[in-house]
Amino acid sequence: MEKISNKVINRLTQYHSILVASIKKGETTVTSSYMAQLLKIDDSQVRKDVSMLNNTGKSRVGYDALELKETIEKTLGFSNPKNAFIIGAGNLGTALAKYNDFEDYGLRVLALFDIDKNKIGKSINSKPVYDINELSRYTKEKNVEIAILTVPADFAQSIADFAVKSKIKYIWNFSPAVLSVPVGIDVWNENLMGNFLQFSYKISK
Ligand code: NAD
């Protein structure tokens, strides 16, 4: 299959959410027009996106919800679980560690890391909190490539450097800091305030 653009990936994640909700309600089929209506896009766009996937057909009443959900999961790599560490066991790190649904999306959070002696040695949702100085050892031992960064912005760059030295390859950055990383390291920024600024701009027009 050809490389999928970010825009299509974004729509696939939205179709996936709709399919999960429909399956929960006991529906077995979902039509392209239903998904298009919810997402305020054209029906033909949904059909075009789905036709790119290796989804085996569509009945007259719509897509088989479970089959399409599984096809999207396979396409997006859900079925290939990835291990991750959270760096920063504060408010956000704790909330993410308590979010069990990550597992359904192929993300396994194994442990947290912090500098705070009051947090090190404790557990959050059965996940141990380790001393940040142990990061390199555990990264190798558990073969972890993803770090979820939830430290204060002022420390984010130095911790990102440290994570890269510890052989972390992918950083999911929740801090508002703009990180500079070597070639070959991927950063995905979860910039909540940036998103809000876009939203704020849209609604203030
Ligand atoms: P917090 O102060 O509650 O937690 C930060 C944690 O990082 C603390 O446990 C602290 O001990 C730890 N820490 C500090 N320096 C460290 C280091 N060098 N190595 C390892 N751990 C270190 O902060 P928070 O509210 O959880 O926010 C964390 C980050 O997420 C911030 O950058 C914030 O801007 C961003 N953020 C938070 C929220 C939220 O809802 N709390 C929302 C969006 C973004």
Side-chain angles (χ1 to χ4, degrees):
M1 196 167 36
E2 60 191 272
K3 198 171 184 302
I4 306 176
S5 74
N6 284 340
K7 274 190 180 164
V8 177
I9 289 179
N10 187 33
R11 284 197 297 274
L12 291 180
T13 63
Q14 293 180 310
Y15 303 154
H16 185 267
S17 300
I18 295 171
L19 290 161
V20 168
S22 299
I23 292 165
K24 257 193 197 152
K25 282 192 272 174
E27 282 154 25
T28 52
T29 54
V30 171
T31 62
S32 54
S33 54
Y34 173 70
M35 294 198 275
Q37 211 178 0
L38 277 179
L39 298 174
K40 295 190 175 70
I41 58 174
D42 210 81
D43 193 3
S44 62
Q45 181 68 69
V46 178
R47 279 184 272 116
K48 189 174 164 213
D49 291 339
V50 175
S51 72
M52 284 176 55
L53 310 172
N54 294 322
N55 195 61
T56 55
K58 177 188 173 204
S59 74
R60 274 183 296 118
V61 286
Y63 300 109
D64 180 305
L66 196 62
E67 186 191 333
L68 183 55
K69 174 181 157 289
E70 283 169 2
T71 303
I72 293 175
E73 290 175 357
K74 215 179 275 168
T75 308
L76 298 180
F78 286 28
S79 37
N80 172 21
K82 296 164 184 76
N83 292 333
F85 290 143
I86 292 175
I87 307 181
N91 290 309
L92 187 56
T94 298
L96 295 176
K98 287 182 175 172
Y99 187 59
N100 292 326
D101 287 8
F102 277 141
E103 292 249 353
D104 295 342
Y105 291 80
L107 181 67
R108 251 193 244 128
V109 175
L110 300 185
L112 299 91
F113 290 81
D114 209 289
I115 41 166
D116 186 340
K117 298 270 176 269
N118 294 316
K119 293 176 180 169
I120 295 164
K122 301 212 167 106
S123 285
I124 299 169
N125 193 19
S126 308
K127 298 164 185 25
V129 181
Y130 296 127
D131 188 320
I132 186 68
N133 291 314
E134 304 273 13
L135 182 67
S136 175
R137 179 161 78 86
Y138 281 108
T139 301
K140 276 183 215 121
E141 204 175 290
K142 306 278 182 194
N143 200 18
V144 170
E145 294 188 325
I146 304 176
I148 302 172
L149 208 59
T150 51
V151 294
D154 289 349
F155 303 100
Q157 183 63 58
S158 61
I159 286 298
D161 295 342
F162 185 68
V164 171
K165 260 194 209 146
S166 305
K167 301 283 180 255
I168 288 288
K169 293 204 179 73
Y170 310 102
I171 299 175
W172 190 7
N173 176 30
F174 281 81
S175 87
V178 178
L179 301 176
S180 159
V181 292
V183 175
I185 306 295
D186 274 322
V187 176
W188 186 269
N189 293 306
E190 208 59 66
N191 186 351
L192 252 70
M193 294 328 289
N195 285 344
F196 175 69
L197 286 179
Q198 288 184 39
F199 182 40
S200 166
Y201 174 74
K202 191 179 165 205
I203 59 180
S204 61
K205 290 231 109 195

